Amino acid sequence: MSDLADNKTDTGARILIVDDDERNLLALSETLRPLAEVTCVASGKDALRELLQHEFAVILLDVYMPEMDGYETAALIRERSQTAQVPIIFLSAVNKETSHLMRGYEMGAVDYVFKPVDPIILKTKVGVFVDLYETRQQVAEQAQLESSLREAHLREQLDRIAVERKLQESERRQASVLGTLPMAVYECPCDATKLTRTFVGGDLHYFVGDTASEIFDGVRRFDEWVHPDDLTAYEAGSEENGDAVTSEYRFVGPDGRKRHLLDQRIKVAGPGGQPQWVGTILDLTDRRELEEKLVHAGKLDALGQLTGGVAHDFNNLLAAVLGGINILDRRLEVGEAEKRVIEQMRHAAHQGTDLVKRMMAFARRQDLTPTSVKPTDLCDAVAGLVEHALGDNVSASWNCGETDLSIYADRSQLELALMNLVINARDAMPDGGTVEVSIEEVGEADAPALAIRVCDSGIGMSKKVLKKVTEPFFTTKGAGKGTGLGLSMVAGFVDQSGGELEIQSTLGKGTEIAIKLPATESVSGEDAAEQARELSWFEDRRLALVDDDDGVRIVLSEQLRDAGAKVEEYASGAELIAAIGERKRDYDVVISDFAMPGLDGLETLQRIRNAAPHIGRVLMTGNIADENLANLEDLPLVHKPVDLKSLASACVRALQAEPV
């Protein structure tokens, strides 16, 4: 039979009635419905199925049923652990003998009810087990609830401990960070006539060293080391600044170090609701120094841009002058007096060329050709150059020890830089002395370097002079005794070569200047075009020369003709392109100036490459600072004033790079 009873309570207690007589099931279910939810089945098998699906407070089991009687059903119920403890009340209509009763109890019965059933007795007996089940369920629920509460409380305690631990760790980290920063944290009252800072955090030791303990104890005040001229900024009030005050002032600590400090404070509510200042003091020294370096770099960049433009025009003029002098020297027969005049003219022109190179050097825009230079070769070369320039009361000591490393830098500029340092050292010792020059290994195994040190025992420099000594045109020498380009040129050359320049000087004790440059173990061999650096290469060569400057074009053409070349001149790239395209003119190499109106040199040579790829191409320029010349790939570049041997080498490289 199906379930004949409705749900009575929300406790979850169920009563299972097993009887093969439908009338008995109906009577029993109606009697027990007030106690709990009743499930009725007509056989032992159906009872076992219900026990697999639900939990019951008590089972009413008829003894005599077809197929499986009550005793067999009870035995199966007791064998299953989940149902072994469920109370069983046997229902019987005939067997009241002791033997039958004992068998029932052996099968796990807790009681017997005989038919016809007395409803009151049945309800009383079943009610005891329903109450017992509900009580047991309530105890289990209460225990589970208490366990859940204990677990929740434990989790809450663990979460609180974890939060407290994180907060403590965060506070420790913040304290550690504040303790390592160049910063001090302070408090002070707002209504005081004079600000008395009470330091509460940060690293006060950074500013005042061991004196920090005396400031914390109130024995000394922080403003004792503030620059007298900046005390007003230190005491700045809030009359015009509102609830936030920012000021900067100079600070000279007990160790004598000068700093620039930034003082910022805001007004907050203090103890008792009274307003007070809370502020920080930061060290701005490094930022100020960086700003000064950036301003200095900006000046150098602007000066370099100006220098590049001037160098272009100046190199064009020098190219015409030097080329003309060389032509006149070869073609004219002149006397000794005239030769001396020509030599002076050539010397003056070369001095102009060197001046342009120096100007480009301190602007970090010179054209460098780095190579491997042995330290002994460098010392020997410079020693020979400065030997007669040192004078009678100054000598030089050269300590260029043996090393497997070579300096990797532009040789000519390196020699010029070292010569400048030696001459400066000589000028710094008016009473005489010894200039000590040494070269030693520095750097790491993966980044080898050599340091060139030049030391003197002269007058030295103050810190103020030391800050400006590498600026262009700055000099401490008298009028007519220095241009101020020497050290600036050295600084520019070292920076452009990927090195470092260090200067240490003390007034009255002397100066030490160290140039640290990259080093290499290999010595570069001759360039592939070295074999062509003789003017004989130009013999019978067909050359096209393009330059909008008449003086440069005419003079250089005549020099090339004197060397045996067949030269045709063009004032613009368009003229040359027309000659090659329309008149079918053919050349071995085209030499073109870069800066020209209309088509510039790069565009001109590119069009020639497209029209006649077999023609070699060489670019000339008088402005080595132009950014458009940074990446020319396989296009050879020569600088004005043009050296014919360098031009011959460039022509050879051009022919090697071009497809045949």
Side-chain angles (χ1 to χ4, degrees), residues 368-385:
L368 299 178
T369 305
T371 185
S372 295
V373 182
K374 289 184 177 180
T376 52
D377 293 346
L378 174 65
C379 292
D380 292 342
V382 177
L385 292 173

Side-chain angles (χ1 to χ4, degrees), residues 61-63 70-71 74 88-92 104-105 107 109 111-113:
L61 183 58
D62 188 22
V63 174
Y71 298 129
I88 299 176
I89 300 176
F90 276 118
L91 301 174
S92 179
Y105 287 122
M107 293 296 102
D111 202 351
Y112 259 91
V113 175

Side-chain angles (χ1 to χ4, degrees), residues 394-410:
V394 177
S395 61
S397 171
W398 301 88
N399 182 18
C400 304
E402 293 296 331
T403 175
D404 294 333
L405 297 178
S406 295
I407 302 170
Y408 188 69
D410 186 288

Side-chain angles (χ1 to χ4, degrees), residues 402-405 439-443 448-451 453:
E402 293 296 331
T403 175
D404 294 333
L405 297 178
I439 301 179
E440 59 184 7
E441 294 185 18
V442 294
L450 288 172
R453 301 185 188 277

Side-chain angles (χ1 to χ4, degrees), residues 76-121:
L76 293 175
I77 292 174
R78 287 291 177 255
E79 289 179 359
R80 185 169 177 266
S81 60
Q82 288 85 346
T83 57
Q85 301 300 322
V86 179
I88 299 176
I89 300 176
F90 276 118
L91 301 174
S92 179
V94 292
N95 292 323
K96 299 182 180 180
E97 292 84 357
T98 302
S99 59
H100 288 283
L101 294 178
M102 293 304 297
R103 184 183 178 190
Y105 287 122
E106 289 177 357
M107 293 296 102
V110 295
D111 202 351
Y112 259 91
V113 175
F114 297 100
K115 300 177 183 178
V117 176
D118 186 330
I120 296 176
I121 295 174

Side-chain angles (χ1 to χ4, degrees), residues 324-326 328-347:
I325 291 173
N326 291 333
L328 293 176
D329 191 27
R330 286 194 301 270
R331 295 184 180 182
L332 299 180
E333 293 291 337
V334 295
E336 290 299 325
E338 289 78 9
K339 285 185 177 181
R340 285 197 299 271
V341 173
I342 291 176
E343 286 302 320
Q344 288 298 320
M345 293 170 60
R346 182 183 287 111
H347 179 68

Side-chain angles (χ1 to χ4, degrees), residues 15 27 29 34 45 59 76 86 188 241 262-263 298 318 321 339 377 379 385 418 494 521 523 554 561 608 631 639:
I15 301 172
S29 64
K45 291 182 179 179
I59 301 173
L76 293 175
V86 179
C188 59
N241 301 292
L262 174 66
D263 194 323
L318 289 172
V321 172
K339 285 185 177 181
D377 293 346
C379 292
L385 292 173
L418 181 54
V494 172
E521 295 182 357
V523 179
I554 293 171
R561 292 188 182 102
I608 291 173
N631 297 307
H639 298 287

